[in-house]
Amino acid sequence: MLVIVAPGQGAQTPGFLSPWLEIPGLRDRLSAWSDVVGLDLISYGTTAGAEEIRDTSVAQPLLVAAGLAVAEVLPATEGDGAAGTAPAADVLAGHSVGEFTAAALAGVLTPEEALRLVAQRGQAMAKAAAVTETGMTAVLGGAEEEVLAAIERHGLTPANINGAGQIVAAGTTEQLAAFAAEPPARARLRALSVAGAFHTRHMAPAVEHLRSEAAGVTPGDPRATLLSNADGQAVAGGGEFVRRLVDQVARPVRWDLCMATMAGLGVTAVIELLPGGTLTGLAKRALPGVATVALKTPGDLEAARALISKETGQ
């Protein structure tokens, strides 16, 4: 059973799109989507610096566009990929903004609808983040109950509970500094390259803006099992999934529950879309024995296609 996953903000690195633009059709696809989101996605994915692509209003549409473009060239046989197509997957899931990528691959949204909404999401979240200086810190290791208690003690929010010994704390810079000065036992802290305390109360204004924008969309029902960050459960209705996409902006991401559902479904293979690495790393620890491929460069396509063939029999 194959699951395709899409990473969230923070996965982007300078120049990550450069090697992919040699694939026929991919540059044209990204150029067309640049017009949809009002950003030069090719420039941001090739020559822009780390601070430029850290900007929430840039990072979010860039990541979704990259994931969708690479999904179109992923099918197991060369030449199978075509505009608007994606490889067959039994399960789809995305982490945070990656949920928009998953929703488009599942047919809940068209790629253009997903990109228009995520562009509005990124702008609204950037605006909300500018109100108060906030951020996010990954907590690696430590006992989960002790980590959560320390996060609560400092007035922070466990914005991402990722499983495999990783929880992300979010809040004001002052709260995060106090947390860093008194970290949980046996835990390492790593500040994330994001521009605000996403998936917390600080994003409430962005929720209302995105809800207004999403009102004009008529979603389809997912054509594969589509997991929600809210509780890790499969959502059968497109309208319900879009409602969750909106609410998730200010709610914690429960990737641990998504992986628990994957385990319960009997998932045997995970492919992570560009820029891959984070979610397959979590899967290796939380889903032992599951085959994984992270798409980082075009050289990873062969392994991904072989895994698709093995899992689907195509």
Side-chain angles (χ1 to χ4, degrees), residues 18 34 44 46 52 71 77 109 135 150 154 168 185 201 205 238 240 248-249 275 293 296 300 306:
S18 294
S34 292
Y44 279 118
T46 56
E52 291 178 273
T77 303
L109 303 169
H154 288 282
V168 176
R201 61 180 178 81
E240 170 64 11
Q248 202 62 44
V249 170
V293 175
K296 301 178 182 180
D300 299 314

Side-chain angles (χ1 to χ4, degrees), residues 116-257:
R116 289 190 192 98
L117 283 178
V118 87
Q120 291 296 320
R121 180 186 194 264
Q123 292 169 22
M125 290 175 72
K127 185 176 180 180
V131 174
T132 305
E133 194 171 348
T134 59
M136 305 178 81
T137 295
V139 186
L140 308 173
E144 182 171 316
E145 61 275 13
E146 294 179 10
V147 170
L148 291 173
I151 288 172
E152 182 179 3
R153 185 165 63 251
H154 288 282
L156 297 163
T157 299
N160 301 165
I161 302 179
N162 288 329
Q166 185 187 111
I167 296 174
V168 176
T172 67
T173 52
E174 292 84 357
Q175 290 169 329
L176 289 170
F179 183 61
E182 189 187 353
R186 301 177 301 282
R188 293 181 294 112
L189 306 187
R190 177 168 57 86
L192 298 184
S193 181
V194 295
F198 306 143
H199 304 292
T200 72
R201 61 180 178 81
H202 296 283
M203 293 295 111
V207 172
E208 296 310 313
H209 178 79
L210 188 58
R211 180 172 291 120
S212 175
E213 294 294 326
V217 171
T218 303
D221 291 337
R223 51 180 177 247
T225 299
L226 181 60
L227 306 186
S228 168
N229 284 181
D231 53 12
Q233 296 302 302
V235 178
E240 170 64 11
F241 196 80
V242 170
R243 184 189 69 77
R244 287 174 174 235
L245 283 178
V246 171
D247 291 344
Q248 202 62 44
V249 170
R251 294 183 56 177
V253 171
R254 295 301 306 268
W255 191 252
D256 60 331
L257 299 180

